Amino acid sequence: MADNPKVFISYSHDSPEHKQWVSELAAHLRRNGIDAILDQWDLGLGDDITRFMERGIVDADRVLVICTNKYVSKANANEGGVGYERMIVNAELVQNLGTDKFIPIIRQVSGKEKTPTFLGTRVYADFRKDSQFNIECEKLIHELHEMPIIDKPPLGKSPFPPVELDRQLVDIPEHVVSVSEAYKVATKLARAGDTLGWRQLIKRIRSPIFRSLVQWQQDELDKLEPKREEPFQIVDKAVEIISPLIVVALAGVESGREEFKDQRSLLDDLQYLARRNLAGFWVDIPRALGYVYHSLHGSLCLTTNQLDLAVSLIQVKISDVYTMEHYNLWEIPELMGWSKSISGTGGGNCVEGWKYLVNAFERWEWLSSIFGDESEEYRAALVAYYMALNIHELAASIALVQQEMSNTNDYTWFSPDPDKVPLMFMSENHDIYQRAITLLRSNPEAVIRLWTRLNVTHEQMRNSWGKWIRSCDNWLRNASISSSVSRLTCYQNVVHHQDFFKML
């Protein structure tokens, strides 16, 4: 950037006082070596206003967007000069994706939307308090001159010896004939860091798998009559067909390597299947597969100490196949255990959904390759994952109330919504539950991020936890689940009275 960076100032003429404040900010910037372009100085009688805005935004090194209630509303409504500037900004953003050219300056914003929607979630400078003007100006001047106030520390050497990659070429079969073979090849590719081979493996197994699913749908599924088979057997058939893709994705997660562990693309494939043909038994099958996949993915993440990775998957936006509205994965009942195709009931049944997952270890031999030979280890990981989802749901509830009722300090009245995160994980026996708690607590920093990433405090979580657990207890009692009450007591003995949070 030049010694005197050029900065265009975009604002709305709310009042004479606001225009004066913008002028003072621009003057302060110019005194500090920043070529601030402002209509009050640079736009004269007879000048073309639209030309001034176009050239100002395009030619400037940076653009300061002074956000007030009026500016935000005009920009979002596409009104007047502000609306026209918005169109120019959008064009610049399209041509320079990821650019940091536009800096929101928050001046007089009282509503929930601090910036126009076209600026999305960009980091802003907060000039709402006049008493902080000089401090915020100093930060802004450093930013515009590309001179950070705090220098980034140099990157040191790792204290651990480098992990040697297995650079042997991995032979990728032309036709992967079994789930175990797919898992072994994927594991070798991840160990070798062979991203090209990984993509080749996906290509070789993905197309045949989806052709098989479509063929199965046409030849068998569409011809089935209700009650002809146990619902879970139908889902098992779909899992059997797609299992090579599932184990490859899980092998990537298990590797823990950055280039392989993000396996959200399988959810995209399942969404495509969900939109393909809304008829008959097929309607609910893709969602049942999504339920299986994210549950196995999350359980493996807990086993491999990657809770953050599990959270990134449940926050994937999924479109409703009927309304096309988007929701987080964890907010969609059919993806959280209320699967009609598993339970065979009209509204789904989370008890049957949970049994389907818990008993899967005996039905799917390939799970032992991933979770070990003991079914208890698999079940403990599954419970730990749904514990984390339950904690995340409480944090999300608090965060939502903070947005809608910014002045409330009462965080003690929240109740879980079992349609989102079913509570059946609490019905597992005491030994499994204790293993699950130990597994979840093995990475306390990641657990704490379940709420801090949502701007919820430790105190808010702790204060609401007792009521939250009692609400879970009430739901399980009302659900008439055999022996779940005594098992929940074991759970309460561990986490009630804030014990869970004291150990973090």
Side-chain angles (χ1 to χ4, degrees), residues 97-159:
L97 291 178
T99 181
D100 62 354
K101 182 172 182 175
F102 302 93
I103 303 176
I105 304 291
I106 308 302
R107 175 54 184 161
Q108 297 168 340
V109 179
S110 58
K112 185 168 62 174
E113 293 183 338
K114 293 183 176 63
T115 67
T117 54
F118 68 83
L119 289 178
T121 56
R122 293 174 185 272
V123 177
Y124 56 78
D126 194 340
F127 277 82
R128 283 175 291 185
K129 295 181 180 179
D130 288 336
S131 60
Q132 298 293 308
F133 181 85
N134 290 333
I135 295 174
E136 293 300 322
C137 267
E138 183 181 2
K139 295 178 186 177
L140 182 59
I141 290 166
H142 274 78
E143 171 66 26
L144 296 174
H145 280 292
E146 297 183 348
M147 297 292 292
I149 294 178
I150 301 175
D151 290 330
K152 188 176 183 179
L155 184 64
K157 293 183 178 180
S158 170

Side-chain angles (χ1 to χ4, degrees), residues 432-456:
I432 295 291
Y433 212 92
Q434 288 285 55
R435 285 192 188 192
I437 289 176
T438 301
L439 188 59
L440 187 59
R441 284 176 171 160
S442 64
N443 190 350
E445 292 83 5
V447 175
I448 291 171
R449 283 195 292 273
L450 286 172
W451 54 85
T452 55
R453 64 163 52 90
L454 298 174
N455 295 320
V456 175

Side-chain angles (χ1 to χ4, degrees), residues 316-329:
V316 168
K317 294 291 186 181
I318 306 289
S319 62
D320 185 278
V321 293
Y322 299 107
T323 67
M324 299 309 293
E325 293 185 14
H326 288 77
Y327 304 93
N328 293 315
L329 182 153

Side-chain angles (χ1 to χ4, degrees), residues 217-282:
Q217 176 196 353
Q218 294 172 349
D219 293 348
E220 300 180 38
L221 199 58
D222 289 348
K223 299 175 183 177
L224 287 177
E225 296 179 4
K227 306 298 182 183
R228 179 176 172 180
E229 293 187 58
E230 289 292 335
F232 79 86
Q233 292 176 344
I234 299 174
V235 178
D236 262 3
K237 177 63 177 178
V239 173
E240 177 188 338
I241 295 172
I242 204 173
S243 54
L245 269 181
I246 293 177
V247 297
V248 169
L250 295 180
V253 171
E254 188 178 32
S255 75
R257 296 175 59 84
E258 288 298 328
E259 60 267 48
F260 298 105
K261 69 181 184 179
D262 185 353
Q263 294 297 326
R264 288 175 288 186
S265 60
L266 184 50
L267 278 178
D268 295 333
D269 288 336
L270 295 176
Q271 287 188 72
Y272 168 76
L273 286 174
R275 294 190 293 268
R276 183 183 171 276
N277 189 349
L278 300 178
F281 280 90
W282 182 255

